[in-house]
Amino acid sequence: MAGLLLRGLRSGARTAFSSSLCSSRALSFASPFRRFSAAPAAAAAAASANALDPSCLRNVAVIAHVDHGKTTLMDRLLRQCGADIPHERAMDSISLERERGITIASKVTSISWKNSELNMVDTPGHADFGGEVERVVGMVEGAILVVDAGEGPLAQTKFVLAKALRYGLRPILLLNKVDRPAVSEETCNEVESLVFDLFANLGATEEQLDFPVLYASAKEGWASLTFTKAPPDDARNMSALLDAIIKHVPPPSASLDAPLQMLVSMMERDFYLGRILTGRISSGIIHVGDKIHALRNTENGFEKIEEGKVTKLMKKKGTNMVMIDSAGAGDIISLAGLAMPSIGHTVANVEVMAALPTVELDPPTISMTFGVNDSPLAGRDGTHLTGGKIGDRLMAEAETNLAINVLPGPLSDSYEVQGRGELQLGILIENMRREGFELSVSPPRVMYKIEKGEKLEPIEEVTIEVNEEHVGLVMEALSHRKAEVTDMGPVPGSIGRTRMSLTCPSRGLVGYRSVFSSDTRGTGFMHRAFLMYAKHRGSLGNVRKGVLISVGHGLITAHALMSLEARGTLFVAPGMETYDGMIVGEHSRDSDLDVNPVRTKELTNIRAPGKDENVRLSPPRLMSLEEAIGYVASDELIEVTPKAVRLRKRYLDVNKRKMMRNRPKE
């Protein structure tokens, strides 16, 4: 609280003149379509100058670990400022975000509070979508670091905080979920100390270490400057947080008189408007109809991409996109009119011949090969089947998501897609199958580095919280995956729970999430984030058994599966279609086994006491796409169609597989 009071004394009160300008700006945004029409020319110019005042702006990013309450907090802030919220998690506009309860892409919205305009950026909390945090954190001057008051800072908290500190931001610490019974004032003090230590370890400056602290329950919709579990009725709102943003986040330092320059940080496509480019205006003023051009940095300086004019200017207000006539330096806006620029390019006036520096992103850590589906069942479900269609879709994804790289694959009509993690690439594959694509996907491969003749691999920081009876099982499984324990102890405020911190190679964590969930009976929590590249830790232990491979083509019969149940765990049910080389189950031993799941019962003239209708089989293990990505081995592929996810061997012919069996695996 000392930092909060000192900051309040330093900042002082806003002057009456500045307050009047900000008030004019807030009023002007209330009616965006009629802002300049009713006034005379002089009055319109004055109103425009007031509306463009950068001192009335606050650009803030909400950053946190996954599931610490960012999106719920955004809902409460929007509702507090009068926005119409159609449903919970209003900022999660993508269908997969609502289905899975996670934020995948960063979003920007604007809210008005008192005499200021707050541009709020909601960011993902999962490590695989860290590129979304990196590319937008440069647009803001402040950040709200949301930390669960019960769990404290975790792996992704460290990642997003490091990005914010690198850009010189001074975060506001918001301890969320303080209404939980297990959270006390002592718990909050411990978490605050842990966050302070995290700031110090990441090299924060003295000003950044003097961060303000607030306490909140985003679920109940209130924030407080002091610890409380039940604020008075007149204080059960987000006013304390909104006031803290205006007080502690500096306005953008930008010049309205300089020529226009804007770095594109987001891009989307509209059927009518074409490309919509979103970013923060670094300098100058932009109007509808202005002539602009796009630039990008090259090794020899810069390159001009395209020239055009602004056809539409837009700004997100609450949950709606509204049209505006002009915008000034420091503001975050969207524009249409150019067809070629993408993320990282600069939009500027035609007389400007310099591009803004682009955002530096962490390198990708895994890659997968996307290719044409060549199985015997190809072409039955999808509408986009060719390599050209798949390549165009992947290139379009790489334009809007800088954390993904697309390169030509080892075979014709195949593409190597590089990303941050299996979840990120799994989301891409799921979106493609919903759009009607059929493709075959290789298992994830870790991207190694060679420095000074030494092989380096990506190492991740893993935080695990489990019941005590599951600790031994989890430790044994991770030991096969070359994990090393760095810290271990009881969870504060929880009886019978243990928290472990480990470092583990990325290749060892591929496919482990489903195993972890099974080992802990769904009661464990596991969070991971990229840590560093380090020396290769050697080959992994035995992390998977062999598989049952079909050598028959046709419909699977219950009679055949009845005799296969004793061999292992089945992935298929009677009535499904199979083909030579398709994986139909997991073998109980370490070796692969060829089986015939389409075998039928031989007909004789002797009446049998039992019939096929009386066959009772155990429910099969039907794999989701994420489970399949983590399960397949280096000599296997995933067949993805809009209606099915199948596992198969890379070589469908049994004789070809026997020839390739002696080839060493990765």
Side-chain angles (χ1 to χ4, degrees):
M1 297 310 298
L4 196 63
L5 295 173
L6 288 172
R7 178 62 177 166
L9 292 174
R10 285 198 296 265
S11 60
R14 195 183 300 261
T15 63
F17 178 69
S18 176
S19 178
S20 65
L21 291 183
C22 295
S23 179
S24 300
R25 178 186 179 91
L27 290 173
S28 68
F29 270 108
S31 180
F33 296 102
R34 300 179 295 155
R35 200 164 55 190
F36 302 108
S37 58
S48 177
N50 292 349
L52 299 173
D53 182 16
S55 65
C56 304
L57 290 170
R58 298 293 186 275
N59 299 322
V60 187
V62 183
I63 57 176
H65 186 83
V66 63
D67 202 30
H68 277 197
K70 298 180 306 302
T71 307
T72 304
L73 176 67
M74 288 296 300
D75 281 356
R76 302 300 178 260
L77 292 175
L78 289 170
R79 186 172 287 132
Q80 172 96 23
C81 297
D84 182 22
I85 305 296
H87 52 77
E88 292 295 319
R89 302 179 62 87
M91 294 295 288
D92 286 348
S93 55
I94 306 173
S95 58
L96 276 176
E97 292 180 323
R98 293 193 293 269
E99 291 174 16
R100 304 187 181 213
I102 59 174
T103 301
I104 295 173
S106 295
K107 290 100 175 173
V108 180
T109 189
S110 174
I111 55 179
S112 297
W113 179 247
K114 296 184 177 177
N115 296 325
S116 296
E117 194 79 19
L118 310 182
N119 292 320
M120 309 292 296
V121 184
D122 185 22
T123 63
H126 199 283
D128 285 17
F129 309 110
E132 295 287 321
V133 181
E134 294 168 338
R135 72 179 184 180
V136 300
V137 75
M139 292 198 302
V140 299
E141 287 78 36
I144 302 172
L145 178 64
V146 183
V147 176
D148 190 315
E151 294 184 356
L154 295 176
Q156 187 67 1
T157 310
K158 180 179 179 180
F159 173 83
V160 295
L161 179 60
K163 299 299 178 185
L165 296 179
R166 182 188 300 178
Y167 278 87
L169 306 183
R170 183 187 173 211
I172 298 172
L173 175 60
L174 183 73
L175 298 180
N176 193 24
K177 305 182 183 181
V178 296
D179 57 312
R180 287 184 173 179
V183 177
S184 62
E185 189 170 4
E186 291 75 16
T187 306
C188 290
N189 291 336
E190 291 177 7
V191 171
E192 188 178 339
S193 298
L194 291 173
V195 173
F196 183 89
D197 294 341
L198 185 59
F199 271 68
N201 293 335
L202 293 175
T205 63
E206 290 187 9
E207 185 180 5
Q208 290 171 329
L209 286 171
D210 186 24
F211 52 85
V213 183
L214 285 87
Y215 307 86
S217 171
K219 185 178 180 180
E220 295 186 359
W222 57 264
S224 172
L225 295 174
T226 57
F227 176 81
T228 179
K229 282 182 173 290
D233 293 339
D234 59 345
R236 296 184 71 85
N237 52 51
M238 287 290 174
S239 298
L241 177 58
L242 292 165
D243 291 338
I245 292 173
I246 295 175
K247 185 176 182 181
H248 296 287
V249 176
S253 56
S255 172
L256 295 173
D257 300 325
L260 170 70
Q261 279 188 308
M262 184 187 88
L263 182 67
V264 179
S265 298
M266 301 180 186
M267 189 189 80
E268 56 185 321
R269 290 179 176 82
D270 185 88
F271 183 75
Y272 297 100
L273 300 177
R275 291 199 181 191
I276 299 177
L277 309 175
T278 302
R280 188 187 67 166
I281 303 174
S282 300
S283 60
I285 301 174
I286 188 170
H287 302 83
V288 175
D290 284 354
K291 289 186 177 181
I292 55 174
H293 64 179
L295 308 169
R296 66 180 169 195
N297 288 305
T298 63
E299 295 180 356
N300 301 323
F302 69 92
E303 177 188 358
K304 185 174 180 178
I305 304 172
E306 181 189 7
E307 186 171 330
K309 72 173 185 176
V310 180
T311 57
K312 295 287 184 182
L313 273 181
M314 295 159 283
K315 186 174 175 68
K316 192 74 173 287
K317 296 284 291 182
T319 56
N320 302 315
M321 186 71 81
V322 299
M323 301 296 172
I324 58 176
D325 300 316
S326 62
D331 209 351
I332 299 176
I333 55 98
S334 301
L335 65 89
L338 298 176
M340 297 177 63
S342 59
I343 297 172
H345 296 165
T346 301
V347 174
N349 285 341
V350 290
E351 65 267 15
V352 175
M353 293 297 174
L356 295 170
T358 56
V359 179
E360 292 185 7
L361 298 180
D362 288 345
T365 56
I366 71 165
S367 69
M368 299 172 70
T369 300
F370 289 44
V372 175
N373 180 19
D374 60 354
S375 84
L377 302 182
R380 298 191 179 186
D381 302 338
T383 55
H384 305 301
L385 313 175
T386 63
K389 288 274 190 179
I390 295 172
D392 292 343
R393 176 62 178 84
L394 293 175
M395 293 300 178
E397 182 69 24
E399 275 189 337
T400 58
N401 189 349
L402 292 186
I404 286 180
N405 297 333
V406 179
L407 304 172
L411 303 175
S412 61
D413 287 340
S414 68
Y415 303 88
E416 182 183 353
V417 183
Q418 301 173 347
R420 296 287 182 86
E422 55 194 287
L423 177 60
Q424 182 193 27
L425 297 182
I427 293 291
L428 172 59
I429 298 170
E430 180 65 30
N431 282 327
M432 291 180 67
R433 69 180 289 214
R434 292 188 181 194
E435 295 166 12
F437 282 86
E438 283 195 21
L439 61 156
S440 63
V441 184
S442 75
R445 296 182 301 276
V446 171
M447 300 180 65
Y448 300 104
K449 284 184 178 180
I450 304 295
E451 290 186 3
K452 300 179 181 178
E454 189 175 42
K455 187 177 183 181
L456 304 180
E457 66 174 341
I459 304 294
E460 298 193 26
E461 184 179 11
V462 187
T463 303
I464 289 178
E465 185 178 313
V466 294
N467 294 332
E468 288 181 352
E469 62 265 25
H470 300 139
V471 172
L473 202 59
V474 171
M475 293 283 287
E476 181 183 3
L478 286 172
S479 65
H480 291 300
R481 299 171 182 267
K482 299 298 179 180
E484 297 178 357
V485 179
T486 58
D487 190 23
M488 183 174 175
V491 178
S494 299
I495 300 176
R497 298 280 285 181
T498 301
R499 179 178 295 170
M500 296 179 286
S501 296
L502 310 96
T503 60
C504 184
S506 296
R507 58 193 169 93
L509 293 173
V510 172
Y512 178 64
R513 188 172 293 276
S514 59
V515 176
F516 174 78
S517 180
S518 176
D519 287 347
T520 60
R521 304 294 188 269
T523 62
F525 298 97
M526 182 177 75
H527 304 297
R528 45 188 280 199
F530 173 76
L531 181 63
M532 61 179 177
Y533 270 88
K535 184 179 178 181
H536 192 270
R537 293 188 178 180
S539 59
L540 302 179
N542 190 9
V543 297
R544 201 199 79 170
K545 295 184 180 296
V547 291
L548 304 176
I549 309 167
S550 171
V551 293
H553 185 99
L555 294 179
I556 297 172
T557 64
H559 174 73
L561 295 185
M562 181 176 61
S563 59
L564 294 180
E565 274 197 325
R567 299 287 189 175
T569 304
L570 297 176
F571 298 159
V572 293
M576 292 183 178
E577 198 165 0
T578 186
Y579 53 84
D580 294 342
M582 178 175 157
I583 297 173
V584 296
E586 182 180 86
H587 196 195
S588 57
R589 300 184 179 181
D590 294 337
S591 58
D592 294 344
L593 180 67
D594 294 328
V595 297
N596 183 9
V598 301
R599 181 168 54 88
T600 58
K601 188 174 182 180
E602 297 294 335
L603 297 178
T604 66
N605 59 355
I606 300 175
R607 179 177 293 178
K611 296 182 179 180
D612 282 348
E613 288 79 4
N614 297 329
V615 173
R616 292 190 177 182
L617 300 171
S618 301
R621 178 186 172 187
L622 300 177
M623 283 199 176
S624 65
L625 178 60
E626 280 72 27
E627 290 175 330
I629 291 174
Y631 184 83
V632 289
S634 59
D635 63 336
E636 298 165 0
L637 296 174
I638 309 168
E639 178 188 352
V640 181
T641 74
K643 295 182 180 179
V645 175
R646 305 182 185 96
L647 306 183
R648 50 164 284 191
K649 285 293 183 178
R650 187 182 300 272
Y651 304 103
L652 299 180
D653 183 67
V654 60
N655 296 319
K656 179 73 170 178
R657 288 199 302 273
K658 289 179 179 178
M659 290 173 55
M660 306 298 292
R661 189 166 292 170
N662 294 329
R663 177 173 290 188
K665 296 183 179 181
E666 294 182 3

